[in-house]
Amino acid sequence: MRALKWSVLIAAILLVIGVAALTFYIVPQQDAKMNVVIDHAPYVISEDAQAFHDTLTVADLHSDSLLWARSLANRNDRGHVDIPRLVEGNVKLQVFSAVTKSPRGLNFDENDGQGADDISLLAKVQFWPPRSWSSIYERAAYQAERLIKLEDNGNLVIARDAQSFKSAMAGDKLVALLLTEGAHPLEGKIENIERLYDKGYRIMGLQHFFDNELGGSMHGKSKSGLTPFGRDAVIEMRRMGIIIDVAHSSEAVVRDVLAMSDTPLIISHGGVRSACPATANRNLPDELLLEITGRGGIIGIGYFDGVICDISPGGIADAVIYAVDILGADAVALGSDFDGTVTTTLDTSELAAITQALMQKGMERRVITKVMGGNAVRFFSENLGK
Ligand SMILES: [Zn+2]
């Protein structure tokens, strides 16, 4: 009896040590290792550039910050985004994306969705609710609940339709929109579109790094177009006024979606293929981008290797300028992919460095106003449902 008591006590102590090690050491260390800001001296921002940056309505189309076990209400010394740093960077609108499945050995060329899934592991070691350990839908639901908690605590406002978007943009709080990174949280069921809508999702990516029930990923095996289920899902998303993100979709999927209707699309984080041919397996070809933007779509330019060739603030500015030259001043926005296991040269508190680089490279202030956020705000004002 006594031996049994001891073994229960030892097991309990080991459990506490294990939970503490995960919470305070292993998980934070992994977060810091995966969402890197390269060490740099503080960027020197001129008074003029800072003053101009402070007048801008800054918007970012893609951040995966809901994935990580850090309080977004407080300033952190790791990762790219939290609310104090968004405020410091003068960001008014942040799209928060929910990553729900990520194949081990992720690459841009060819992934299989059947093998080990790192988000399943992350859900367990970060003590997400057990319902999310095996259900992809529940992982999206849980990440929305994290954002809703921030809203309930008065940290931000989640826009749910065009009207609430406009009034939130006129208010003094950070405005947030929810995006699913790929539509695999549907788990093959059309009715889950409405359940995710009810959780607050107003933008849905169709694919992430692997082919799913809706069709081929740019980084999947098949590179195929929409499946019959994918077509039904696109029709249902449009019926509900959900904006479609084709950031990781195969070219065939993008063509199929474009053939279905003229409703504008977004690419929440990406780049222009001809700007940097090394990014061919991550960025859509220019002619497809032109079709998207020609119908009122926008592209968020990412800050990481794979979508642009030079990730310095000056390199990001070059990528933005190139995109404006090819696609027009109304089609280009920011799409950081912050906290999306990317390495960057700045976090969100340092966005004035991009504004300054655009100014130094001669972009007109009128155009800087658009790319730093004006285009994104216009797009959502016009395309969020009623
Ligand atoms: Zn992504």
Side-chain angles (χ1 to χ4, degrees):
M1 195 63 191
R2 178 162 291 189
L4 182 67
K5 268 188 192 164
W6 274 109
S7 58
V8 168
L9 184 66
I10 289 167
I13 290 169
L14 288 176
L15 186 69
V16 169
I17 292 171
V19 168
L22 277 171
T23 306
F24 299 111
Y25 185 68
I26 298 168
V27 167
Q29 210 188 33
Q30 282 307 312
D31 177 6
K33 235 175 26 197
M34 296 178 108
N35 301 303
V36 177
V37 182
I38 294 173
D39 260 344
H40 60 274
Y43 296 116
V44 179
I45 309 296
S46 72
E47 250 176 61
D48 183 32
Q50 188 64 55
F52 178 51
H53 183 77
D54 291 343
T55 68
L56 299 173
T57 302
V58 178
D60 176 27
L61 296 183
H62 197 106
S63 149
D64 295 336
S65 312
L66 295 171
L67 196 54
W68 305 100
R70 66 179 112 98
S71 161
L72 296 180
N74 301 310
R75 196 183 176 96
N76 296 269
D77 58 5
R78 63 178 192 269
H80 300 124
V81 168
D82 47 49
I83 291 167
R85 283 186 282 176
L86 285 164
V87 170
E88 198 176 317
N90 192 32
V91 179
K92 178 66 182 171
L93 170 64
Q94 180 66 60
V95 177
F96 287 96
S97 137
V99 178
T100 50
K101 179 173 168 177
S102 186
R104 181 111 0 120
L106 209 65
N107 64 84
F108 287 141
D109 305 327
E110 190 181 300
N111 300 275
D112 184 342
Q114 309 303 316
D117 164 27
D118 282 336
I119 307 300
S120 159
L121 178 66
L122 206 59
K124 289 170 193 146
V125 299
Q126 297 191 133
F127 307 110
W128 288 12
R131 62 185 156 94
S132 70
W133 295 1
S134 57
S135 162
I136 297 174
Y137 167 81
E138 291 293 351
R139 290 175 204 161
Y142 172 67
Q143 291 182 65
E145 288 157 17
R146 282 196 70 191
L147 197 69
I148 291 167
K149 204 171 272 179
L150 287 166
E151 182 177 49
D152 290 345
N153 291 337
N155 294 109
L156 48 77
V157 179
I158 303 172
R160 291 176 172 82
D161 54 40
Q163 193 51 47
S164 71
F165 178 74
K166 282 177 196 162
S167 53
M169 290 303 295
D172 56 4
K173 282 184 187 159
L174 174 72
V175 182
L177 280 163
L178 272 166
L179 155 74
T180 62
E181 182 128 26
H184 26 280
L186 301 186
E187 296 181 328
K189 297 184 190 126
I190 288 290
E191 59 269 28
N192 278 344
I193 295 175
E194 191 160 345
R195 292 175 73 203
L196 290 166
Y197 183 94
D198 290 343
K199 286 285 179 189
Y201 288 96
R202 295 296 180 270
I203 315 167
M204 290 189 183
L206 299 181
Q207 280 78 31
H208 197 195
F209 269 86
F210 53 92
D211 301 340
N212 63 18
E213 294 96 339
L214 289 83
S217 157
M218 192 188 280
H219 331 288
K221 281 186 172 298
S222 72
K223 320 290 182 202
S224 58
L226 284 173
T227 62
F229 175 74
R231 285 177 187 279
D232 290 346
V234 167
I235 291 167
E236 177 67 357
M237 288 172 192
R238 294 234 156 108
R239 187 187 70 76
M240 300 199 63
I242 291 168
I243 293 161
I244 292 176
D245 178 11
V246 291
H248 286 283
S249 296
S250 70
E251 290 177 36
V253 161
V254 177
R255 286 182 213 285
D256 284 348
V257 176
L258 285 168
M260 287 175 70
S261 94
D262 276 341
T263 312
L265 304 172
I266 67 164
I267 298 160
S268 64
H269 55 315
V272 177
R273 188 181 288 182
S274 66
C276 179
T279 64
N281 288 334
R282 179 60 181 77
N283 293 337
L284 288 171
D286 298 17
E287 45 98 11
L288 256 190
L289 292 176
L290 279 164
E291 266 204 67
I292 292 169
T293 57
R295 301 177 190 202
I298 54 172
I299 176 170
I301 300 297
Y303 309 163
F304 54 100
D305 248 347
V307 294
I308 60 176
C309 274
D310 169 2
I311 64 171
S312 69
I316 298 168
D318 286 337
V320 167
I321 291 165
Y322 187 92
V324 167
D325 285 347
I326 299 280
L327 305 170
D330 293 328
V332 181
L334 303 178
S336 65
D337 203 18
F338 276 148
D339 291 324
T341 59
V342 291
T343 294
T344 60
T345 59
L346 38 72
D347 71 12
T348 198
S349 70
E350 300 175 291
L351 293 185
I354 298 178
T355 300
Q356 174 164 273
L358 290 168
M359 291 166 77
Q360 283 169 345
K361 289 170 187 288
M363 184 180 265
E364 285 176 64
R365 291 188 181 213
R366 174 185 69 80
V367 179
I368 297 176
T369 304
K370 291 182 181 204
V371 299
M372 290 299 292
N375 287 335
V377 173
R378 187 204 67 238
F379 180 88
F380 292 120
S381 307
E382 290 172 357
N383 291 294
L384 281 168
K386 295 214 181 346

